[in-house]
Structures are given as structure tokens and as C-alpha cells.
Amino acid sequence: MRTSTIIAVAIGAGLAVSGCATSSNTRDQIVKAPAACEDVTVQIYFEPESSEVTSEGQAVLNQASLQAKSCKIERVRVMGLADAVGAPAANLEISKKRAAAVTRSLNSTGLPTPEFDLAAAGQTGAVTAEGDARLMRRRADVTIELSNP
């Protein structure tokens, strides 16, 4: 039994050494470069007639901020939108409030940004040419433009 254990250890050691001797891995093959910083785009949805960021929306913003942490943030674009229910002026106002609420929430995540571009579309584009309401328009679209540090 002792001889078989010694032989097994010897074979294992021989394989390990021969694997090291024939390995042609270089540092560049072993150490991987960090992933390139790519823009992050998310959508934050709101309850009807509300501009309050939900807990789900905050979680999405937290994740987007985390993704951007190791990158240089060039700019953050936030577009507030509304559906076609209600008066156009009221929808434009709520879409502005949604964009502002998302910006405040992003700031609370500690996202360092040199520039925020805020825009509001109100209900513009909320109805198709055929007269059908576009779904999921109670939202803010957020794009974090990133580059490598």
C-alpha cells in the first residue's frame, strides 16, 4: 500500500512539473485587462401621475452607478417622459419632475459626474401615427456616457 501511494505521488508530481515545463502562458495571457468602459443605459419607471423614484428604480440606479465606478464619466443624459393620459402641459411638467427626481437619485448614489443633461418630452411621441398609445411611457431614460480612465 505504501509503494502505491509513493508511485501515485511521484506520477502526480511528474505531471505537475511537466505541465509547468511545457506551459507557454505569458503574463499577458494570465492577467486580463479590465473590461472596456461602455455607456450604461437604463430606464426608470414611475407610477401613474408620480415623479417619485420607486425602490426598484433606485436599485436600478444604484447598479448603473456601480457599473460606472471604475470608469471616467463624461456625461449623464436623463430624459423624462410621460404617457398620453391627461393634458399635454401637465404631462410635460411631470416629465420634467421625473428627470429631476432621477438626477437627485443618481447624485445620492455618489456618482461623480461633470455634467448632467436633463430633458423632458412630456407626452410627445406617446401616441403612434395610427393613434395607438405607446406602452411604458411613464419613465425616465438614463444614459451614462463612459470612457476608460
Side-chain angles (χ1 to χ4, degrees), residues 4-141:
S4 63
T5 304
I6 293 172
I7 292 172
V9 169
I11 291 172
L15 289 174
V17 170
S18 69
C20 290
T22 60
S23 176
S24 62
N25 287 343
T26 64
R27 181 183 182 282
D28 291 339
Q29 291 171 321
I30 296 169
V31 178
K32 302 224 184 293
C37 293
E38 296 179 6
D39 294 355
V40 175
T41 300
V42 296
Q43 295 178 326
I44 306 302
Y45 294 93
F46 293 87
E47 294 296 323
E49 300 179 28
S50 174
S51 61
E52 183 179 329
V53 176
T54 64
S55 58
E56 293 88 0
Q58 187 62 52
V60 170
L61 293 172
N62 290 343
Q63 182 61 37
S65 179
L66 186 63
Q67 282 180 262
K69 255 196 191 344
S70 62
C71 301
K72 179 179 179 192
I73 300 168
E74 299 292 337
R75 180 171 50 167
V76 178
R77 292 180 306 172
V78 181
M79 169 67 80
L81 301 165
D83 56 24
V85 177
N91 287 334
L92 180 59
E93 189 59 34
I94 199 160
S95 65
K96 288 177 183 177
K97 289 179 180 179
R98 288 173 177 164
V102 166
T103 300
R104 284 190 302 276
S105 290
L106 275 171
N107 279 330
S108 75
T109 68
L111 185 73
T113 116
E115 181 179 342
F116 274 97
D117 288 340
L118 300 180
Q123 69 185 41
T124 302
V127 178
T128 67
E130 294 79 29
D132 298 324
R134 294 188 193 271
L135 300 177
M136 306 306 290
R137 285 283 298 193
R138 293 184 313 266
R139 70 177 195 267
D141 295 339

